[in-house]
Amino acid sequence: MNPRETAALLRLLATLDGRLRRAMTDPQLAARTIDEWNEATVHIPAATEDGTWDVMHAVRAFYEQQRGDHTARYFAYEPHHLLAAWADHRGSRMERHTDPIPAADPDDVSAYRAELVGTRQAVATGQAPPSRYRAALDPAGQRRLDALTARIGADVPGSGAPYIRPEVREELRSHVPNTRAGLPALGIDCPVAKCRATERRPCTSPQGRELRRTVHGQRRDAWAVHTAPCPECGAAPRQPCPTAEPHPARIQVTLTSQEGRSAA
């Protein structure tokens, strides 16, 4: 607010509250009060263009003692009351705001970020209304999009050729973690009680974080039992060793086999 707007606000306060009316009758005291109020509230707009904020309405709400707030009975209105009211309204504005796409080139990080910050600052200070977006797709549009994306990776109809040649697919898989080629133990469910990741899903830590580059030891052991014979006890694939855990030699067979595939 500027000094003229601050003076208008204090005139309203003097009308509503006799305690402030007495202070505003002295010209010197009134001038000092206007200066102090203006310094404390200079960043608060008198009103916003979208009509959602007006300092006069905030003052009236204080003296109307809404929602059982009887502060006005005991205290005159002061700058900190207006600061608190504006802070609540500013938070509501930012909750309703959705960042518009900046016009700046995304590769120019400084300019892109500066435009985002500038837009948010304008909304937070009342210079611009919150920017709100509706959903880009209605339910029918979402169904059409789902139908289109479901065809990604499928063979091209009538072409007689696969979408991706098998040898190319295997080459891609060998470089992608969390696949059977990168972590073959993902081919079975994880037996760890606090994880229970299903086939092809990564294991999770006790904090719920996905393990992107490894699996639980019990899952690795279970994979060894599932796929490899044991050279120590002679157990066939899918047949457990007679010990509590698979023999180390059996686990080493699966690790060696994985290293061989990776080298190939």
Side-chain angles (χ1 to χ4, degrees):
M1 294 192 296
N2 57 43
R4 182 180 58 81
E5 293 167 335
T6 303
L9 175 63
L10 286 169
R11 279 197 299 271
L12 174 63
L13 285 169
T15 301
L16 297 174
D17 195 323
R19 291 164 293 190
L20 288 170
R21 188 181 312 125
R22 289 188 292 272
M24 296 300 290
T25 55
D26 184 311
Q28 292 184 346
L29 181 58
R32 186 167 67 249
T33 302
I34 292 174
D35 289 340
E36 291 173 349
W37 270 74
N38 189 67
E39 182 179 359
T41 62
V42 66
H43 69 286
I44 299 177
T48 56
E49 293 183 2
D50 58 5
T52 58
W53 167 260
D54 190 308
V55 293
M56 303 299 187
H57 295 164
V59 168
R60 290 191 178 95
F62 177 82
Y63 284 101
E64 287 172 0
Q65 303 181 32
Q66 297 178 355
R67 296 187 293 274
D69 184 358
H70 302 301
T71 306
R73 292 184 182 180
Y74 311 104
F75 302 98
Y77 200 82
E78 295 189 17
H80 68 83
H81 294 119
L82 188 59
L83 293 172
W86 170 248
D88 287 343
H89 179 76
R90 182 181 59 209
S92 174
R93 293 174 69 85
M94 297 310 295
E95 287 177 357
R96 291 183 282 115
H97 176 67
T98 303
D99 288 325
I101 300 175
D105 185 350
D107 292 331
D108 187 346
V109 177
S110 297
Y112 195 88
R113 183 179 182 278
E115 189 171 341
L116 279 177
V117 172
T119 301
R120 294 175 187 175
Q121 185 71 14
V123 174
T125 56
Q127 300 175 41
S131 178
R132 305 181 70 177
Y133 286 89
R134 295 180 299 173
L137 294 175
D138 57 18
Q142 185 62 53
R143 288 193 293 271
R144 290 194 298 271
L145 178 62
D146 292 342
L148 290 172
T149 55
R151 296 166 55 187
I152 295 176
D155 294 346
V156 180
S159 68
Y163 182 76
I164 299 178
R165 297 196 307 275
E167 61 272 19
V168 175
R169 189 184 299 274
E170 290 302 318
E171 176 65 18
L172 291 173
R173 282 179 174 173
S174 67
H175 296 289
V176 179
N178 287 345
T179 63
R180 284 176 179 251
L183 291 173
L186 293 177
I188 60 171
D189 297 346
C190 181
V192 176
K194 293 185 177 181
C195 175
R196 298 297 185 188
T198 57
E199 182 181 353
R200 296 183 180 275
R201 297 299 304 166
C203 292
T204 56
S205 69
Q207 293 76 31
R209 180 176 56 84
E210 290 187 347
L211 306 181
R212 294 290 184 179
R213 299 186 178 278
T214 187
V215 296
H216 287 121
Q218 294 182 37
R219 192 176 194 177
R220 178 206 60 194
D221 294 351
W223 174 252
V225 172
H226 187 79
T227 59
C230 180
E232 188 167 338
C233 67
R238 300 176 183 268
Q239 180 183 351
C241 296
T243 53
E245 298 179 352
H247 288 113
R250 191 174 198 176
I251 297 173
Q252 187 61 41
V253 168
T254 58
L255 294 177
T256 303
S257 176
Q258 180 181 350
E259 291 173 356
R261 286 194 300 271
S262 299

